[in-house]
Amino acid sequence: MSDTAATWREYLTTPTPASRRQAALQRAWLSWRRFRANPTAMVGLVIILIIIAIAAFAPLLATHSPFTQNLNNRLMPWSAEHWLGTDELGRDVYSRLVYGTRVALRVIALVTIITAPIGLIIGAVAGYAGGWVDAALMRVTDIFLAFPRLILALALTTALGPGIDNAILAIGLTGWPPLARLARAETLTIRSSDFIAAAKVVGASPARIVFGHVMPLCMPSLIVRVTLDMAGVILVAAGLGFLGLGAQPPQPEWGAMIAAGRKFIFDQWWIAAVPGLAICVLSLGFNLFGDGLRDALDPKASS
Amino acid sequence: MPRKIAETAGSIALTILGLLLVTFVIGRVVPIDPVLAVIGENAAPGVYERTRIELGLDQPLYVQFGRFIVKAVTGDFGVSVLTARPVLDDLKRVFPATIELATLATLIGVLVGVPLGILAAVRHQSWIDHVARIVALIGHSVPVFWIGLMGLLIFYAQLGWVGGTGRQSVAFLDSVRERTGMILIDCLLDGDLDSFWDAWRHIVLPASVLGYFSLAYICRMTRSFMLEQLSKEYVTAARIKGLSEWHVVMRHAFRNIAVPLVTVIALSYGYLLEGAVLTETVFAWPGLGNYLTDSLLRSDMNGVLGGTILVGAIFIGLNLLSDLLYKLLDPRTR
């Protein structure tokens, strides 16, 4: 066992990588070493991993069904039976909290699938093409940036109709402009480098240069930004849920759970307090993780 | 110079046009039938067609968009289904309450955030720096509506230090004449100190909750601006000259961060409008945010679009203002 560990280490640290893959793995290893040395970033990573594990094993961890109502047993404080008490319909708050991780992670994943490609492509194309293409694409970006994010998402969800999928769409459609700005700025610094000129000389098409050379180099700063953005996505999604425009009952979404607990805030305060804490922990995890990633992937950007 | 002004004006006009286009599209994709929203479900068949023509819905889309622009520019956002009054009148009525809240919140953010940011930079890596980091981190991780609810629970229900939801206690409702719509100022104009104290007790919690978020942002930006200045050579030179630390920081370094700081504060004012939507809902604060959420929960598109356009226009205005302030205050950009 220690033998394989030693060969792995040698593979990852030898100064003369033999293949492209080995060089890439070596870079990743170096970033990981930098990341691991940062205790707050590790806290963030552990929080995220724990929450992913909770979501994966939700049926095993939950003590009750998140949907089963028991009106004889409503608004109970915590007990051995209901670890975090019950809500206004007698459902187990702890179990709903556990299943809520699935809703939250699904929102984050789907929003990222929408925002990251749109932002990356628009930004890289605008930055590389320049001229009127750049001007037009950035004008569209500026228009979307002219709305505060939540307000635009609110108006969109109202138009599309309330529901978690429409909320995801609305958050995604309002989330890409800052990413496009970032990708464009990165592209502008990359496009004038020598290796791009060399690629042009050997006859690479613009599409090949943008997708094969520019975009991969935009990735580190984009990944950092997307990770930090995930904290914001959680808060906007919870805000929409709180206003009744996101997840619909009986889905165990944390923002909607706070909204339901709001009526009982003075007497059964835990119903609203507990999901709020869960939101804080998850978005704190992404903030810490994102800060650590920035330090690890992009050492020059950190102070 | 005139060319620059023309360019700026052109780009603002384009952005506003885009803003109107986006809101127009949102208003079009809405699954509610705008005709039925006006006449109700049980109207006679002829009425439907007549109303459709009256509303201009039989025209092609670009004509409708043209009319939409003309109406929006003249401030005609239609009639609110919710209040049965013109949306513009509603907006005028609710706007001062939001301005009052956001202004007080920004004051809190500046008065606490700037000194905290400066201290954190001057005492880099000390305990106060860590406090500032944690304050900023929490500001990025906590839902504003949840903080509001917890604040109500602790400071209103448990401790009784502040008033509850709304702008005034029931006993004080309509006690002062409405002049500016900003209740604290109205109370002072009337010289009614009891009402002022009651209104103050109501505004202090929502303003602190909102102010916390602008504080977190302003503090973080102040700190990083200040750190950058303090590493520059003129600061070292000033220190070698034997100037006191206070003099070095406040007279030399602070003057150089003042300009970017002004733009940060202008932008944070814009972000407050966003936080205000959720905060006002929690505190039943009768402002723009509350009006927006009330309208959209009742699918009142006129109210939603009017409010959205207003917020977007303010946002554009604040961005422009921060640009102008930058040019005005920083001699290097002239």
Side-chain angles (χ1 to χ4, degrees):
Chain A
M1 187 64 208
S2 63
D3 261 5
T4 42
T7 26
W8 263 111
R9 181 162 296 253
E10 201 179 321
Y11 177 78
L12 287 169
T13 52
T14 176
T16 49
S19 67
R20 253 179 118 157
R21 180 188 299 151
Q22 188 178 1
L25 282 173
Q26 285 192 344
R27 280 216 58 79
W29 169 250
L30 264 179
S31 301
W32 165 244
R33 290 278 301 257
R34 261 201 301 266
F35 184 86
R36 212 178 45 182
N38 183 345
T40 52
M42 284 305 283
V43 171
L45 179 63
V46 169
I47 290 176
I48 295 171
L49 289 179
I50 289 177
I51 288 185
I52 291 175
I54 292 176
F57 299 111
L60 298 175
L61 291 167
T63 52
H64 294 72
S65 151
F67 304 115
T68 310
Q69 304 178 6
N70 179 1
L71 292 178
N72 293 326
N73 206 9
R74 60 198 291 267
L75 303 173
M76 299 297 282
W78 48 76
S79 61
E81 173 69 15
H82 298 286
W83 295 349
L84 293 172
T86 59
D87 68 4
E88 79 280 10
L89 295 172
R91 295 172 297 197
D92 184 51
V93 171
Y94 164 75
S95 302
R96 286 178 69 72
L97 201 67
V98 166
Y99 275 93
T101 55
R102 291 189 165 186
V103 181
L105 291 177
R106 178 161 165 260
V107 170
I108 294 168
L110 290 178
V111 166
T112 307
I113 290 174
I114 300 175
T115 55
I118 300 183
L120 181 59
I121 291 174
I122 289 190
V125 168
Y128 188 75
W132 67 268
V133 178
D134 183 28
L137 287 177
M138 282 304 111
R139 180 53 55 197
V140 174
T141 312
D142 282 349
I143 288 165
F144 276 87
L145 282 172
F147 293 95
R149 186 168 185 186
L150 181 71
I151 307 276
L152 187 54
L154 277 180
L156 268 175
T157 342
T158 320
L160 297 170
I164 188 88
D165 292 322
N166 288 337
I168 289 169
L169 195 62
I171 299 171
L173 288 179
T174 55
W176 61 268
L179 301 178
R181 275 278 182 86
L182 179 74
R184 176 176 174 269
E186 289 280 316
T187 308
L188 286 180
T189 61
I190 296 166
R191 66 181 271 199
S192 52
S193 21
D194 288 343
F195 78 95
I196 296 287
K200 270 191 210 156
V201 168
V202 296
S205 68
R208 192 190 164 102
I209 292 176
V210 168
F211 283 93
H213 296 285
V214 174
M215 281 188 186
L217 283 173
C218 293
M219 285 314 276
S221 51
L222 203 74
I223 290 174
V224 169
R225 182 62 202 252
V226 165
T227 315
L228 287 171
D229 239 31
M230 287 175 178
V233 169
I234 298 164
L235 296 183
V236 175
L240 288 177
F242 179 73
L243 293 174
L245 292 167
Q248 297 300 303
Q251 255 190 332
E253 197 268 333
W254 294 337
M257 285 169 74
I258 297 178
R262 190 181 158 195
K263 295 186 225 65
F264 315 102
I265 183 75
F266 296 137
D267 298 310
Q268 287 87 19
W269 53 267
W270 56 87
I271 300 174
V274 168
L277 276 178
I279 297 172
C280 298
V281 169
L282 185 57
S283 79
L284 189 70
F286 278 109
N287 271 323
L288 294 175
F289 180 64
D291 278 342
L293 270 187
R294 182 178 53 205
D295 296 349
L297 293 177
D298 194 7
K300 58 184 186 296
S302 61
S303 51
Chain B
M1 200 61 193
R3 204 184 142 201
K4 252 190 180 165
I5 294 173
E7 259 175 27
T8 320
S11 107
I12 295 165
L14 262 176
T15 315
I16 289 178
L17 196 68
L19 180 105
L20 292 175
L21 181 63
V22 171
T23 42
F24 177 73
V25 170
I26 291 175
R28 289 281 89 195
V29 299
V30 73
I32 315 158
D33 187 333
V35 180
L36 285 185
V38 174
I39 60 175
E41 297 277 347
N42 301 321
V47 179
Y48 184 91
E49 209 35 51
R50 197 152 16 96
T51 319
R52 209 170 95 89
I53 293 168
E54 261 172 37
L55 291 173
L57 292 168
D58 55 331
Q59 302 287 329
L61 273 183
Y62 62 88
V63 175
Q64 290 189 31
F65 181 51
R67 289 187 181 169
F68 182 78
I69 293 176
V70 172
K71 280 188 168 179
V73 170
T74 51
D76 178 4
F77 300 117
V79 174
S80 160
V81 181
L82 180 66
T83 59
R85 270 184 299 197
V87 171
L88 187 66
D89 290 358
D90 283 343
L91 292 177
K92 275 184 193 156
R93 185 169 45 83
V94 297
F95 197 48
T98 298
I99 289 292
E100 187 175 30
L101 191 62
T103 307
L104 200 60
T106 303
L107 271 177
I108 293 172
V110 172
L111 292 180
V112 183
V114 172
L116 187 61
I118 292 176
L119 268 176
V122 172
R123 303 252 177 279
H124 189 40
Q125 301 293 2
S126 72
W127 65 269
I128 192 137
D129 193 15
H130 295 306
V131 168
R133 262 196 77 181
I134 293 168
V135 164
L137 198 59
I138 293 176
H140 280 111
S141 309
V142 179
V144 55
F145 52 94
W146 184 73
I147 286 273
L149 280 175
M150 294 299 117
L152 271 178
L153 173 66
I154 296 169
F155 295 108
Y156 169 63
Q158 301 288 325
L159 298 172
W161 289 357
V162 298
T165 55
R167 294 174 96 185
Q168 287 173 298
S169 305
V170 181
F172 286 93
L173 282 181
D174 299 319
S175 62
V176 287
R177 215 143 42 87
E178 192 170 314
R179 295 182 221 213
T180 60
M182 296 182 217
I183 200 129
L184 290 176
I185 295 174
D186 284 348
C187 290
L188 285 183
L189 286 179
D190 264 12
D192 187 345
L193 287 180
D194 287 341
S195 287
F196 180 82
W197 177 240
D198 178 65
W200 171 254
R201 276 168 53 96
H202 278 82
I203 200 174
V204 70
L205 188 58
S208 305
V209 167
L210 264 184
Y212 179 79
F213 289 85
S214 97
L215 183 166
Y217 177 59
I218 291 174
C219 168
R220 193 170 56 96
M221 297 311 280
T222 309
R223 175 181 174 276
S224 71
F225 290 153
M226 200 67 182
L227 275 179
E228 193 196 333
Q229 293 299 326
L230 289 179
S231 67
K232 294 217 164 137
E233 282 183 353
Y234 75 88
V235 170
T236 319
R239 284 194 178 129
I240 291 171
K241 247 178 15 179
L243 295 180
S244 69
E245 189 65 18
W246 171 264
H247 200 104
V248 171
V249 172
M250 295 314 292
R251 288 286 186 77
H252 289 256
F254 184 72
R255 285 197 173 178
N256 282 310
I257 70 164
V259 177
L261 211 53
V262 167
T263 66
V264 163
I265 292 166
L267 288 181
S268 84
Y269 200 86
Y271 293 129
L272 281 185
L273 290 173
E274 187 172 57
V277 173
L278 291 163
T279 313
E280 287 180 3
T281 313
V282 170
F283 288 96
W285 191 262
L288 183 58
N290 215 345
Y291 180 73
L292 255 176
T293 48
D294 273 353
S295 306
L296 58 87
L297 286 180
R298 286 172 184 74
S299 301
D300 176 5
M301 265 342 256
N302 285 343
V304 173
L305 294 185
T308 308
I309 291 173
L310 180 61
V311 172
I314 295 170
F315 220 58
I316 295 173
L318 283 169
N319 272 309
L320 179 68
L321 184 73
S322 73
D323 262 13
L324 286 179
L325 282 174
Y326 208 109
K327 294 209 172 94
L328 208 69
L329 295 175
D330 192 337
R332 282 168 305 186
T333 56
R334 264 175 223 152

